[in-house]
Amino acid sequence: MTACAIEPSADPGNGGGPRAGCSITAEGAYAARLARSGEGGDAWFPERWTLDGPEPYAVPLPGNQPEEPGTEVQPMGDGRVLVHRVAAGRHVFALLYPTGPGTGELPLGAVECPADGSGLRLLPPVPGGERAYALATGPRSTVLWQVAGGAFGPERVAEIPGRCAGGVWLDRTGRMLAVDRETGGRVKAVVVDLERGGEVSPLLQIAADSDDRLLLADPDSGLVLIGSDAPSPGRERLGWGVLGSTLPVRFPECLRLPDCVMTPFAVQPGQVLTPERCAVALRVDGALGSWVGVWRPAERHVRHLPAPEGWLTGAGLWTPDGELRLPCSTPQSPCGVARLPAPGAAGTTDVRDAADTEESAPGEPGEPGASDTPTDTTTPSPAPAQPRPVPLQQAPLARLVTK
């Protein structure tokens, strides 16, 4: 049996970004993907990887029949694998688990496919791994479903006005979910509070006429990676900010690579007070293929690394001490993890020192519509342990941010 990675493809539910080769739990213990088997490699089956032991190992979870290439799989915190299939006009969910030589399957229920042809896709794994959610996008609104971890099968959680995509968890409890919402022809990231009945509040409001998406967030440090065309209208740029900071979003020149697409896929956790030192892993796609970029906000350049052989492109995780782990699969080693120490650990550079080659707000103080006061990005929550994000706005300081 030979396992192969899924070929990279665009994921419409992720803002058109490239799809990762596998899905990894928020804590990094398990991964899941569709693998190929058979002489011609034309049969697909779910596969679970265990990553938190001395050596990674894979467990195939084939069902009674091969899966469709578009079937979604996601690892749960207890080692089971959630599978999302589309059959007979319905989105069907089940949990797979190994049972000796076979595969056990626990049906979870189904969601009907609306007549308007709207899509439904799984959101990234929830911290803790006990629940799973999906977005069903319609022409004018989006429904958030809890598809695993509930008491009675798929449960409708909230209906969000507008067409939503993306999906980033902002905390370690799985309460605060950021999604990219399209309304009035513009995309803005908003926050959905699952403990307040799906209450929606704004998160990214860089400029009135810009498209602002949240790509990645680290709950420990508050570091967020943002895609926005605010500094270059009509052309998306990669930027960064910190939830709770009064400093503006920055758009480093080093994250602007001609003829390449940079997609952040992992942030180093555990850097609670030093978001500028968090290592960020980037998938870089260019004419010659895909490779790995490593960058820190405190640095002014990206370190480009060749992708390891068989990398499940776009998938990986950081350890708190700065080791990047990339799942790989080759015919010789169907289940492996490449371990890359983060090059050039950041020193004590102050975040403002490192930002002097980064673009800030489109306007400068004193220009029409510009404010000289940065926008605070957090307000106290009624529950002190759960601060609620509020708009992370581009403060109109100077075009170049300096000390």
Side-chain angles (χ1 to χ4, degrees):
M1 179 180 297
T2 301
C4 303
I6 300 175
E7 288 79 1
S9 60
D11 182 359
N14 192 32
R19 180 180 301 170
C22 72
S23 175
I24 304 175
T25 56
E27 292 71 27
Y30 296 103
R33 65 169 187 146
L34 279 187
R36 279 176 168 172
S37 65
E39 291 296 329
D42 55 355
W44 297 84
F45 66 92
E47 188 176 70
R48 186 199 72 194
W49 289 28
T50 299
L51 303 176
D52 61 349
E55 295 290 337
Y57 65 91
V59 176
L61 296 172
N64 296 326
Q65 61 185 30
E67 303 287 349
E68 295 294 325
T71 297
E72 289 188 292
V73 293
Q74 185 174 114
M76 304 295 290
D78 59 6
R80 293 183 292 181
V81 172
L82 174 66
V83 60
H84 165 215
R85 307 177 177 114
V86 180
R90 300 191 305 164
H91 296 273
V92 183
F93 300 91
L95 289 172
L96 306 181
Y97 54 93
T99 57
T103 300
E105 182 167 329
L106 175 64
L108 296 178
V111 175
E112 296 292 331
C113 296
D116 59 19
S118 61
L120 184 147
R121 63 172 189 85
L122 293 176
L123 287 171
V126 183
E130 297 178 354
R131 295 168 285 143
Y133 293 88
L135 284 179
T137 304
R140 288 175 295 276
S141 65
T142 300
V143 177
L144 175 65
W145 290 88
Q146 181 176 343
V147 297
F152 306 104
E155 300 176 12
R156 186 186 178 108
V157 176
E159 184 168 0
I160 307 166
R163 296 176 55 84
C164 295
V168 177
W169 296 101
L170 299 178
D171 62 349
R172 294 291 183 193
T173 65
R175 169 184 172 179
M176 310 300 288
L177 171 67
V179 296
D180 302 323
R181 179 174 68 174
E182 179 186 351
T183 56
R186 293 296 176 189
V187 177
K188 303 288 183 183
V190 297
V191 178
V192 183
D193 189 336
L194 302 189
E195 290 190 7
R196 293 188 176 182
E199 179 182 292
V200 178
S201 57
L203 176 64
L204 283 180
Q205 296 181 349
I206 296 179
D209 57 351
S210 62
D211 291 326
D212 310 315
R213 301 188 298 124
L214 186 66
L215 306 178
L216 203 60
D218 173 53
D220 295 335
S221 63
L223 178 68
V224 291
L225 280 300
I226 292 162
S228 174
D229 62 356
S232 304
R235 191 172 47 179
E236 183 173 285
R237 293 275 301 276
L238 187 59
W240 69 280
V242 180
L243 289 172
S245 172
T246 57
L247 290 174
V249 175
R250 323 290 179 79
F251 295 92
E253 280 297 322
C254 66
L255 297 181
R256 188 179 185 181
L257 200 60
D259 302 321
C260 290
V261 176
M262 286 187 170
T263 306
F265 64 88
V267 179
Q268 181 183 0
Q271 313 299 301
V272 178
L273 300 177
T274 54
E276 70 276 7
R277 299 183 194 173
C278 289
V280 178
L282 303 155
R283 167 180 176 168
V284 187
D285 294 289
L288 300 179
S290 301
W291 62 93
V292 180
V294 176
W295 168 80
R296 287 182 176 86
E299 297 180 344
R300 301 174 188 173
H301 62 278
V302 176
R303 301 173 187 271
H304 295 273
L305 308 173
E309 184 181 2
W311 179 35
L312 303 185
T313 311
L317 60 94
W318 286 102
T319 63
D321 58 357
E323 182 180 68
L324 179 59
R325 298 180 178 178
L326 304 175
C328 305
S329 180
T330 66
Q332 296 74 28
S333 179
C335 178
V337 173
R339 302 171 185 265
L340 305 177
T348 57
T349 306
D350 187 271
V351 64
R352 290 171 296 180
D353 296 334
D356 62 0
T357 58
E358 298 173 309
E359 289 192 35
S360 176
E364 297 186 358
E367 291 183 351
S371 168
D372 295 336
T373 304
T375 300
D376 192 354
T377 60
T378 58
T379 54
S381 167
Q386 286 288 352
R388 285 177 52 79
V390 299
L392 183 69
Q393 187 170 355
Q394 175 73 65
L397 299 179
R399 191 167 296 277
L400 296 179
V401 178
T402 58
K403 290 180 65 177

